[in-house]
Amino acid sequence: MKILGIETSCDETAAAVVEDGTKILSSVVASSLEMHQKTGGIIPEVAAREQIKCIIPVIEESIKSAKSIKGIKDIDAIAVTYGPGLIGSLLVGIETAKTLSDVWNVPIIPVNHLVGHLYANWLQTNNPQPTTHNSVPEFPAIALVVSGGHTDLVLMKNHGQIEWLGGTRDDAAGECFDKAARLLELGYPGGPAISAAAQLATSNQQPATKLPRPMISDDNLDFSFSGLKTAVLREVMNLKANQQYNNLATYQLAHELQEAICEVLVTKTLKAVKKYQVKSLLLAGGVSANSRLRELFQSAISHTPSTIKLFIPEFKLCTDNAAYIASAAYFNNFPVPWETITAYPSLAIDDKT
Ligand code: KG4
Ligand code: ZN
């Protein structure tokens, strides 16, 4: 079964064709990142206007470049993200997908963007990672979804059976990276910028003040990252007052922030793994592209006595794309009449809306 996926929940405009939920035949992602770099973040109206311009060319390109696809007649269904995300951006993808479903007379499957992220772990890759297995994840699985707007820990009992276990009470992990990078004047998006700056920190220099590890020892599976951003702000102000704020201080602080975020994510996730005795652990979302986070999870799993398998998507599949939307639709194949699909900007990962 060949599914055309369409994803426009944030600033990317993406389309992909995926066969049987695992084989990427094409994947096209157009980003308006350069425009957002100028403003230090996404302006929703600007993002949506750009998406209107490129949605049709991106879909055309995804069909044209898909191996073994001759044309629309080879597409069995359309999958589209219906939430969560920016309302204007979601509508661009949804209205286009609805129109194509009607005109082409193919079924349409609405996909939750956060659930979609999880399915990056079902996609075959040409670029094997240390966590690439010959098989797909086995259930039950614990999954950590860490994106720009969400941090959720869930138990996947099967396809379509997702139980929310915990999540952030305030800022998401990606949001913390983005806001701290802005404070440190490292640019946008903050995750890759903090990660690059952290690599420039040197161990023989005075380390940055230790930042808190929020909620790390709490007896729950929740997170809180907004205090970390405030702690970074306080440290920057202190350093400036003492005329010690320079590039090296920024690198040390970026390094300590990355350590703090990663330690909390790994510790809380392993708590869930122990509690639920699962067969697989899945990472997903833009922050799972963080090399330090990947390294810490690999090390932690290699030290657990159980035979749990760790799945981390290939780098380019961690951030927003339409291949995982098409994959999610294959494994949760519930078409609906196109007229019933609307955008849900604040959809939760376990929402059945
Ligand atoms: O999943 P995603 O592409 O979009 C959303 O659905 O939000 O995630 C974007 C987030 C941003 O906050 C970005 O800073 C973060 O993922 N990110 C990273 C890295 N690459 C992207 N965070 C840490 N390290 C990275 N290498
Ligand atoms: Zn995303």
Side-chain angles (χ1 to χ4, degrees):
M1 181 179 193
K2 293 171 183 125
I3 299 184
L4 167 69
I6 298 176
E7 154 62 44
T8 61
S9 66
C10 194
D11 60 328
E12 274 90 9
T13 308
V17 181
V18 174
E19 186 169 7
D20 296 340
T22 57
K23 197 167 166 209
I24 303 175
L25 302 183
S26 69
S27 180
V28 182
V29 182
S31 164
S32 48
L33 180 64
E34 274 173 31
M35 301 182 105
H36 308 309
Q37 279 169 336
K38 284 185 204 141
T39 46
I42 297 167
I43 298 177
E45 186 65 24
V46 173
R49 281 174 195 276
E50 279 309 297
Q51 286 165 318
I52 288 173
K53 282 189 216 158
C54 57
I55 184 81
I56 299 293
V58 164
I59 292 172
E60 275 176 345
E61 177 63 26
S62 74
I63 293 173
K64 228 188 281 169
S65 62
K67 290 167 212 128
S68 72
I69 291 270
K70 290 200 182 71
I72 298 143
K73 64 172 181 18
D74 294 325
I75 300 291
D76 299 302
I78 297 173
V80 66
T81 301
Y82 73 108
L86 304 169
I87 180 81
S89 296
L90 286 169
L91 284 173
V92 174
I94 290 173
E95 294 307 317
T96 309
K98 284 161 73 168
T99 308
L100 293 178
S101 165
D102 191 32
V103 173
W104 293 349
N105 195 24
V106 287
I108 185 165
I109 304 159
V111 174
N112 179 322
H113 176 77
L114 299 169
V115 174
H117 265 301
L118 299 172
Y119 283 87
N121 290 294
W122 269 261
L123 293 167
Q124 290 165 7
T125 171
N126 295 324
N127 184 14
Q129 307 293 304
T131 51
T132 302
H133 308 284
N134 292 328
S135 53
V136 292
E138 271 183 80
F139 298 118
I142 289 287
L144 173 70
V145 184
V146 266
S147 69
H150 296 84
T151 300
D152 288 307
L153 258 177
V154 297
L155 175 65
M156 275 186 99
K157 294 178 185 161
N158 209 327
H159 297 295
Q161 288 181 30
I162 291 180
E163 186 183 318
W164 185 83
L165 304 175
T168 187
R169 295 186 180 176
D170 40 58
D171 289 356
E175 194 175 353
C176 183
F177 273 117
D178 292 338
K179 288 179 174 170
R182 203 175 174 147
L183 279 172
L184 297 171
E185 296 175 58
L186 291 171
Y188 179 86
I194 295 271
S195 178
Q199 281 181 4
L200 299 172
T202 50
S203 53
N204 56 355
Q205 293 290 328
Q206 181 78 10
T209 305
K210 188 108 171 133
L211 293 172
R213 270 54 175 167
M215 300 184 75
I216 198 164
S217 311
D218 290 14
D219 191 21
N220 56 39
L221 297 171
D222 283 347
F223 304 90
S224 163
F225 292 108
S226 72
L228 258 180
K229 161 201 70 193
T230 315
V232 170
L233 174 63
R234 207 174 304 122
E235 185 59 15
V236 168
M237 283 161 59
N238 273 343
L239 289 165
K240 282 187 175 166
N242 295 318
Q243 293 177 356
Q244 291 171 333
Y245 191 62
N246 52 30
N247 282 348
L248 194 60
T250 307
Y251 304 151
Q252 304 287 75
L253 209 43
H255 181 271
E256 173 61 9
L257 176 72
Q258 180 172 258
E259 291 302 302
I261 294 175
C262 292
E263 257 180 56
V264 175
L265 290 174
V266 173
T267 306
K268 290 307 246 326
T269 305
L270 285 192
K271 195 178 268 191
V273 164
K274 244 186 228 151
K275 185 168 174 189
Y276 292 93
Q277 308 260 311
V278 290
K279 293 188 178 155
S280 317
L281 170 59
L282 279 51
L283 303 194
V287 179
S288 59
N290 185 277
S291 300
R292 181 66 177 146
L293 186 68
R294 298 163 85 96
E295 181 184 293
L296 286 175
F297 266 113
Q298 277 156 26
S299 160
I301 287 300
S302 69
H303 289 102
T304 52
S306 61
T307 53
I308 181 170
K309 277 189 185 163
L310 172 65
F311 291 80
I312 312 178
E314 163 180 357
F315 285 98
K316 70 171 192 299
L317 294 175
C318 292
T319 46
D320 289 349
N321 65 81
Y324 61 61
I325 297 299
S327 171
Y330 175 82
F331 291 106
N332 302 268
N333 189 350
F334 302 110
V336 299
W338 64 261
E339 300 91 330
T340 61
I341 302 181
T342 45
Y344 282 91
S346 51
L347 192 70
I349 192 165
D350 59 342
D351 251 337
K352 291 273 176 270
T353 311

